[in-house]
Amino acid sequence: MARMVNPARKVNIVKKRTKPFVRVQSDRFKRVSASWRRPVGIDSATRRRFKGTRPHPKIGYGSNAKTRFLLPNGFRKFTIKNRKDLEGLVMLNRTYAAEIAHNVGAKKRVQLIERAKQLNVKVINADARVRSVEN
């Protein structure tokens, strides 16, 4: 029986910024949602990046290339829809973890999870839509 698979290397993930970027004047009006929109007004102090205005998303906030798209468990995510996708992870089972697509039915899901166990591939959402058979 295959033992539990671990990532090839566990790297400490450092996020440069975890707070969300807040939209201009979202605190003043209920109709303006907090989700970020680029300021575009001709006189906008925020667009002109004056001192004391809110920070903008920019390239400097990017994550480290080594840890970008890395899950907290140390794997990268790969969505699988069928058996062929799963077979492609055989050599990369210490780098990528499989995530079964949302539109895969319960019957196929069970088969994919069973095959993943044989190939020693970690499945992130192995419990989704799979119920144990009751008497």
Side-chain angles (χ1 to χ4, degrees):
M1 178 103 173
R3 62 182 197 41
M4 204 170 93
V5 65
N6 293 317
R9 57 183 169 162
K10 195 88 159 95
V11 188
N12 197 24
I13 302 167
V14 178
K15 303 283 185 194
K16 286 186 188 170
R17 182 184 168 92
T18 54
K19 280 171 66 175
F21 291 99
V22 183
R23 187 178 178 183
V24 187
Q25 293 194 342
S26 63
D27 53 339
R28 294 185 64 192
F29 304 104
K30 215 171 190 177
R31 65 178 176 265
V32 179
S33 70
S35 65
W36 177 256
R37 297 289 184 277
R38 191 174 178 284
V40 290
I42 57 168
D43 294 328
S44 172
T46 311
R47 180 189 60 79
R48 291 155 74 187
R49 304 222 170 130
F50 284 3
K51 197 190 295 183
T53 58
R54 22 191 101 205
H56 280 211
K58 53 189 171 200
I59 200 72
Y61 290 109
S63 296
N64 183 348
K66 284 180 187 165
T67 61
R68 194 176 301 146
F69 309 119
L70 211 60
L71 299 170
N73 63 10
F75 287 100
R76 284 180 159 66
K77 201 190 303 189
F78 184 80
T79 309
I80 58 169
K81 299 177 188 76
N82 52 43
R83 193 162 177 157
K84 188 180 166 200
D85 292 346
L86 185 60
E87 303 289 338
L89 292 181
V90 174
M91 297 296 284
L92 299 167
N93 68 341
R94 308 240 303 140
T95 310
Y96 286 91
E99 181 186 47
I100 301 173
H102 78 284
N103 55 351
V104 175
K107 204 191 297 180
K108 278 267 168 51
R109 215 170 260 264
V110 173
Q111 293 168 7
L112 287 172
I113 293 165
E114 199 59 45
R115 184 66 182 140
K117 269 189 193 147
Q118 293 167 6
L119 299 174
N120 202 17
V121 173
K122 185 173 180 68
V123 180
I124 297 168
N125 57 349
D127 302 334
R129 244 193 280 181
V130 179
R131 291 220 178 86
S132 58
V133 180
E134 294 175 17
N135 298 0

